[in-house]
Amino acid sequence: MTEQDTAAAVDTTDAPDEDARDEADIAADYIEELLDICDLDGDIEIEERAGRVYLSVTDDGEALRVLSKPDTVTALQELTRIAVQAETGEFSRLILDVGGSRDARADELQRLVDTAVERIEAGSSSAALPPMSSYERKLVHDLVAEKGFHSESEGEGRDRHTVVTR
């Protein structure tokens, strides 16, 4: 194997998944267009973790505040996923964060889990959390497991929620 072949082999193994890069580029272009339409400035960062694309939109000021509300981020994420699917023909599982909204929501979910665990430790047999998205339920399941408790999702559609038990 020549030096050039070795370099090419290293480049391929270190390169992100080709499909993920396409998905990320399409999503970033879509979000960039949306920001232009809204006359908002923002920096877009792309990260891939466990085969899933994460797009973060940040700014130095308060310009993105209106777009960083949880319901708005969820809607923008769905629109971005649809744009990616229309372009690639493949379902997208990308995660969108605008102005740190995901970190803020993760902190809020941590508080909900802490409260649920406190209720169980105080004698309740279980503690039901409010309905949330599948992504948020996954985060909750992980947080609950870290505390040594058990959780299951219950309900259907918009009513699907997590129940924490000992």
Side-chain angles (χ1 to χ4, degrees), residues 96-123:
L96 177 65
D97 178 40
V98 179
S101 62
R102 292 283 175 195
D103 288 340
R105 181 62 176 158
D107 291 344
E108 186 178 333
L109 293 174
Q110 181 67 62
R111 287 190 297 276
L112 285 172
V113 167
D114 290 344
T115 301
V117 167
E118 287 171 9
R119 287 177 41 205
I120 292 169
E121 289 176 337

Side-chain angles (χ1 to χ4, degrees), residues 27-43:
D29 289 346
Y30 181 81
I31 293 296
E32 190 174 325
E33 247 181 84
L34 177 80
L35 291 173
D36 286 345
I37 290 168
C38 296
D39 197 28
L40 295 172
D41 290 325
D43 296 320

Side-chain angles (χ1 to χ4, degrees), residues 69-108:
K69 295 178 181 170
D71 289 341
T72 306
V73 174
T74 299
L76 290 173
Q77 178 177 279
E78 288 308 310
L79 289 171
T80 306
R81 286 176 172 179
I82 290 168
V84 169
Q85 185 173 359
E87 186 82 19
T88 65
E90 301 288 324
F91 178 75
S92 172
R93 295 178 48 227
L94 74 88
I95 300 296
L96 177 65
D97 178 40
V98 179
S101 62
R102 292 283 175 195
D103 288 340
R105 181 62 176 158
D107 291 344
E108 186 178 333

Side-chain angles (χ1 to χ4, degrees), residues 9-85:
V10 170
D11 287 344
T12 338
T13 53
D14 290 342
D17 182 333
E18 192 66 36
D19 292 336
R21 187 174 34 243
D22 291 342
E23 178 183 12
D25 290 342
I26 293 164
D29 289 346
Y30 181 81
I31 293 296
E32 190 174 325
E33 247 181 84
L34 177 80
L35 291 173
D36 286 345
I37 290 168
C38 296
D39 197 28
L40 295 172
D41 290 325
D43 296 320
I44 299 173
E45 296 175 20
I46 301 169
E47 185 179 345
E48 183 188 347
R49 289 181 262 159
R52 182 176 267 193
V53 173
Y54 288 78
L55 239 65
S56 296
V57 184
T58 58
D59 70 343
D60 292 334
E62 295 286 319
L64 296 176
R65 193 175 72 161
V66 70
L67 295 180
S68 67
K69 295 178 181 170
D71 289 341
T72 306
V73 174
T74 299
L76 290 173
Q77 178 177 279
E78 288 308 310
L79 289 171
T80 306
R81 286 176 172 179
I82 290 168
V84 169
Q85 185 173 359

